[in-house]
Amino acid sequence: MNLIVTTAQQTLPSIIQQAKDIADKLAVPFVPRNHYSLAALKEKYELNELIVVTTTGPIVHTPAGEYFFHLSMAELRIKNLLNGNHDHMVTAMGLMPDMSVLDCTLGLATDAIVASFVIGEKGMIIGLESSPVITLITSYGLQNFTLDSEPYITKALRRVKVENADYSDQLAALPDNSFDVVYFDPMFRDPILKSSNVNPIRTLANMQPVTPEAISQACRVAKQKVVVKEAAGSSEFARLGMNTTVGGKYSSINYGIIECKPKMAGGGQP
Ligand SMILES: C[S@@+](CC[C@H](N)C(=O)[O-])C[C@H]1O[C@@H](n2cnc3c(N)ncnc32)[C@H](O)[C@@H]1O
């Protein structure tokens, strides 16, 4: 990985230690900040990206902007649900309290936080993310970000379990019927650049398309549904064998759904 970890110019010994730990975890160099500007560090080490550990958490500086953990639309979506409004993702997944969800493409965890809120304390949600840097930022935020005014949102964050893994490997290793819902939100084939909250992670993210094999494994692993988010009208839905899509009439996003049945031992259907 062509990356270094540093800190702000004036900082605490505990932050320097945290930066060293992050560098170790990512197997990249820790570079003391000293008097260097970030531009000077980028030039000196010929980098496109670097991580600056601050008192409010790690920040990745990418060519597309700064990337750090934030709630994005999760807070608004949860408040909308509490006000009795509809959330297309929640409807597509058929989410109810106590359900289990495997989010194969965790990213910034906005969708996972909304799902975590709906399935509640007795539900289970695991998010998979193949990019080590995105995993770092998202896990840090899920464990440390606190919304004092809305403790139920903080609790929803803490319940999302994160694994730095490729979903193809994980799905292949999971038993049948392991989760109620398996969810994919891949980097869109035709990105919606102007409105996308994923722009800052574009250079860090895994850009591979979802394969029919992954969908087939997901159908084996899911008891109820496999759901894929894509741009409305995308040919990805047909390519992945998804005939049912839901989404707002004027929304640029749709959710493709495959209904799954619980699998019986021996490979049959009940
Ligand atoms: C569009 S973002 C997901 C955004 C997320 N739903 C949210 O609400 O923040 C897609 C993410 O999936 C990750 N990803 C893509 N392919 C993957 C794979 N095979 N295994 C695990 N993660 C993957 C990318 O690195 C990226 O972070």
Side-chain angles (χ1 to χ4, degrees):
M1 224 181 310
N2 189 17
L3 188 70
I4 61 163
V5 182
T6 188
T7 64
Q9 284 187 340
Q10 306 290 330
T11 197
L12 303 167
S14 60
I15 299 294
I16 295 175
Q17 188 54 52
Q18 202 184 328
K20 288 180 177 169
D21 293 344
I22 288 173
D24 277 355
K25 200 168 180 181
L26 294 174
V28 300
F30 164 75
V31 174
R33 178 68 182 267
N34 296 330
H35 56 280
Y36 289 110
S37 68
L38 293 181
L41 281 178
K42 278 187 176 175
E43 196 180 325
K44 182 168 186 232
Y45 292 91
E46 297 180 15
L47 302 166
N48 286 326
E49 278 115 17
L50 55 78
I51 299 179
V52 181
V53 181
T54 74
T55 48
T56 55
I59 301 174
V60 189
H61 291 251
T62 80
E66 290 180 13
Y67 162 50
F68 49 88
F69 182 82
H70 58 92
L71 288 177
S72 184
M73 294 296 284
E75 182 180 356
L76 183 67
R77 285 171 63 189
I78 290 173
K79 287 183 175 167
N80 279 340
L81 284 167
L82 286 171
N83 287 332
N85 295 322
H86 171 86
D87 183 281
H88 292 300
M89 180 200 79
V90 171
T91 306
M93 292 193 194
L95 289 184
M96 307 279 279
D98 304 354
M99 282 174 69
S100 56
V101 177
L102 180 66
D103 181 347
C104 287
T105 50
L106 183 68
L108 307 117
T110 311
D111 291 334
I113 294 165
V114 175
S116 170
F117 167 75
V118 176
I119 63 178
E121 285 177 10
K122 292 190 185 148
M124 174 177 72
I125 177 153
I126 296 180
L128 307 177
E129 174 54 57
S130 60
S131 156
V133 176
I134 298 173
T135 305
L136 168 87
I137 299 292
T138 301
S139 344
Y140 180 90
L142 290 171
Q143 283 313 308
N144 294 285
F145 187 94
T146 299
L147 197 60
D148 287 328
S149 57
E150 320 290 343
Y152 56 93
I153 295 185
T154 306
K155 285 184 182 167
L157 264 67
R158 300 290 185 270
R159 291 195 296 268
V160 181
K161 303 280 170 271
V162 181
E163 291 179 26
N164 177 211
D166 191 299
Y167 61 68
S168 301
D169 301 334
Q170 295 300 100
L171 285 170
L174 279 167
D176 293 359
N177 307 317
S178 306
F179 290 85
D180 289 311
V181 178
V182 177
Y183 177 63
F184 299 85
D185 172 16
M187 300 300 284
F188 290 175
R189 295 300 92 202
D190 295 314
I192 305 169
L193 293 170
K194 65 176 170 7
S195 62
S196 179
N197 66 341
V198 298
N199 280 342
I201 65 169
R202 216 166 278 288
T203 54
L204 304 165
N206 183 337
M207 304 297 285
Q208 295 301 311
V210 179
T211 60
E213 169 60 14
I215 295 292
S216 154
Q217 288 287 3
C219 289
R220 184 184 60 71
V221 166
K223 274 184 270 193
Q224 298 189 21
K225 288 179 188 215
V226 173
V227 175
V228 176
K229 177 172 164 183
E230 250 298 347
S234 169
S235 56
E236 287 294 276
F237 293 121
R239 185 180 70 81
L240 298 173
M242 310 191 105
N243 301 321
T244 310
T245 59
V246 301
K249 200 171 171 191
Y250 302 107
S251 173
S252 53
I253 285 165
N254 271 186
Y255 296 88
I257 304 167
I258 297 179
E259 304 280 349
C260 311
K261 293 200 173 75
K263 274 62 67 180
M264 291 197 308
Q269 301 269 328

